Amino acid sequence: MEFESTFGTAAPLLGMVHLPPLPGAPRAPDDGREAMRAAVDRAASDARALDRGGVDGIVIENFGDAPFYPDEVPPHVVAGVTRAATAVAAETDLPLGINVLRNDAEAALSVAAAVDADFVRVNVHTGARVTDQGIVQGRAHETLRLRERLGVDVGVFADTDVKHSAPLTPEGYTAESFADTAERGLADAVIASGSGTGEAVDAGALEAVVAERERHGLETPVLVGSGVTPETVADLLAVADGAIVGTALKAGGETTAPVDADRVADLVATADEAR
């Protein structure tokens, strides 16, 4: 994919659609059809609010399904995400991304191909991380070959030092892993995040990722993946090439609350002054 032409800007703001628990998840309603209707309705409503607020793209993920499967999710999860993504695509023409938690890139890419989405987010694309699901390993070799088989122009946006995880080595390698993710893993964009959902990315870590990109002579875009607020968005976009925003766009600043179009518009307006 071509990053800037996809989003219509060199520094896109991507809003999150956090799905409620899908059928089969521990916190889903007992009535599976009710659970699916609730997820579809929320997804459509959040997509409309994000579109009205002025974001440049949307990412949808099965956030309510915790505890997450570490790698391959069962077919009913793929079906649920596909139905919700179809509802989002019907509400807006904004570029759409798919993330199937915790790390099912094959499912995300398959959903993206089915609903004509533009990119997927992969939490662990190369290397390995210790997570609450255990050790999660990247499968870039499988993901990129599946994309070729499907024949779709779907971007792979891959995390480095992904949130809710820790490196296998004590010192970690946030910046150095950029080259593995972008140069060897062929990611189309790299995402730098804070330690958890809604947590700000460390400024030094973000700058190190960008510096590592420059050292390797790469042009792969770097996105901020968590903790973006109206107060920080200008400074972050001065370093990064875009941002994925979730919690700050929700009513009351609560991650699981509905998207608030006014909060979206406020953050977009602040970002527009900086880009």
Side-chain angles (χ1 to χ4, degrees):
M1 67 172 294
E2 208 292 319
F3 187 79
E4 185 171 349
S5 64
T6 295
F7 298 108
T9 174
L13 287 178
L14 312 180
M16 287 299 309
V17 170
H18 291 117
L19 293 177
L22 296 171
R27 291 180 290 185
D30 291 337
D31 185 327
R33 291 182 177 178
E34 177 187 342
M36 195 67 249
R37 282 194 296 268
V40 168
D41 290 346
R42 169 64 73 81
S45 175
D46 282 355
R48 290 192 296 270
L50 288 168
D51 198 336
R52 288 199 307 272
V55 298
D56 304 299
I58 291 174
V59 183
I60 181 172
E61 69 178 23
N62 55 322
F63 184 81
D65 279 358
F68 303 114
Y69 296 93
D71 296 303
E72 183 178 351
V73 301
H76 69 267
V77 175
V78 181
V81 174
T82 302
R83 183 173 175 189
T86 300
V88 168
E91 296 292 338
T92 175
D93 293 326
L94 288 171
L96 178 61
I98 309 294
N99 186 16
V100 178
L101 300 169
R102 173 67 155 133
N103 201 54
D104 196 338
E106 180 176 336
L109 193 54
S110 299
V111 174
V115 304
D116 199 22
D118 300 274
F119 62 98
V120 296
R121 181 176 184 174
V122 183
N123 291 165
V124 183
H125 183 56
T126 58
R129 304 284 295 184
V130 179
T131 74
D132 52 309
Q133 296 83 31
I135 296 176
V136 175
Q137 300 186 59
R139 297 181 176 180
H141 60 293
E142 296 178 356
T143 303
L144 273 294
R145 284 170 173 79
L146 175 61
R147 183 171 67 176
E148 290 300 309
R149 292 200 303 274
L150 293 175
V152 291
D153 185 20
V154 174
V156 173
F157 291 12
D159 283 86
T160 179
D161 198 31
V162 68
K163 57 191 175 182
H164 300 291
S165 75
L168 292 178
T169 55
E171 69 276 8
Y173 63 114
T174 303
E176 191 61 42
S177 68
F178 182 95
D180 288 337
T181 302
E183 194 168 37
R184 292 165 65 85
L186 304 182
D188 298 288
V190 170
I191 302 167
S193 299
S195 60
T197 302
E199 297 294 327
V201 64
D202 178 78
L206 176 61
E207 290 169 358
V209 170
V210 174
E212 186 66 12
R213 175 183 65 182
E214 303 306 317
R215 189 172 77 83
H216 283 268
L218 301 172
E219 298 181 354
T220 309
V222 174
L223 301 174
V224 176
S226 70
V228 179
T229 68
E231 293 74 29
T232 64
V233 66
D235 289 341
L236 291 171
L237 291 181
V239 180
D241 303 297
I244 301 171
V245 193
T247 300
L249 305 182
K250 303 300 188 68
E254 296 290 335
T255 306
T256 56
V259 172
D260 183 331
D262 291 335
R263 292 175 73 101
V264 179
D266 288 344
L267 189 139
V268 170
T270 303
D272 283 345
E273 296 176 1
R275 54 179 179 162

